[in-house]
């Protein structure tokens, strides 16, 4: 049987690695681990202290498409699970305090979601699954 667990890390391509590192650290309450300057890119790694999830931010020396568009083939969005429905309200308040543009919380028959975007337009979502 093949099994797998939760993701160990997420890597994003960004246009300004320092600005994105500051944004992700503030929004997700991440701690900066290190910066690595390579020949073709600069990488900053951040960690979420509660889960150990690593966020890798990569600024490549050549950027063929300067803004993320979820209609292109590849990643559409990333959804982060919220344990309780009230957690979405807490995230909504947190994003509002940081002036991060976000959708209202939308309740559906399957759960509820709130959508927002990072500085490079990558769609991010908080999702609560309704108990079945």
């Amino acid at each position: 049987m093949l099994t797998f667990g939760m993701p160990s890390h997420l890597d994003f391509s960004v246009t300004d690695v320092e600005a994105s590192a500051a944004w992700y650290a503030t929004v997700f309450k991440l701690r900066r681990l290190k910066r690595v300057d390579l020949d073709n890119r600069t990488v900053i790694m951040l960690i979420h202290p509660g889960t150990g999830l690593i966020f890798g931010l990569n600024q490549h020396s050549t950027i063929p498409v300067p803004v993320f568009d979820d209609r292109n083939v590849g990643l559409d969005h990333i959804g982060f699970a919220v344990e309780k429905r009230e957690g979405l309200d807490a995230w909504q308040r947190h994003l509002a305090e940081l002036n991060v543009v976000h959708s209202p919380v939308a309740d559906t028959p399957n759960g509820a979601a709130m959508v927002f975007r990072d500085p490079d337009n990558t769609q991010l979502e908080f999702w609560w699954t309704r108990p079945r």
Side-chain angles (χ1 to χ4, degrees):
M1 174 189 277
L2 298 175
T3 63
F4 64 93
M6 299 301 293
S8 64
H9 64 280
L10 303 171
D11 268 56
F12 297 89
S13 293
V14 300
T15 55
D16 183 334
V17 72
E18 287 293 343
S20 289
W23 188 88
Y24 275 91
T26 301
V27 169
F28 289 97
K29 299 184 185 264
L30 306 177
R31 183 172 49 86
R32 187 172 173 146
L33 291 176
K34 66 180 175 178
R35 175 184 167 134
V36 179
D37 293 293
L38 304 168
D39 290 339
N40 61 349
R41 66 187 165 127
T42 300
V43 181
I44 293 179
M45 294 190 311
L46 307 149
I47 187 168
H48 183 262
T51 63
L53 180 63
I54 302 289
F55 286 66
L57 305 173
N58 298 269
Q59 182 177 337
H60 298 274
S61 57
T62 303
I63 302 173
V65 180
V67 177
F68 179 82
D69 188 329
D70 39 284
R71 296 169 298 174
N72 288 326
V73 173
L75 179 70
D76 185 85
H77 71 279
I78 296 172
F80 295 95
V82 175
E83 189 175 327
K84 297 181 179 181
R85 169 61 178 80
E86 300 80 36
L88 290 173
D89 299 325
W91 275 107
Q92 189 171 34
R93 286 189 300 276
H94 176 67
L95 294 178
E97 288 169 3
L98 298 174
N99 294 316
V100 173
V101 175
H102 59 279
S103 73
V105 175
D107 290 293
T108 74
N110 297 318
M114 182 183 55
V115 176
F116 59 109
R117 292 182 180 269
D118 79 358
D120 289 296
N121 204 44
T122 302
Q123 183 175 314
L124 306 167
E125 173 184 280
F126 288 113
W127 171 262
W128 168 74
T129 301
R130 188 176 306 282
R132 299 177 210 262

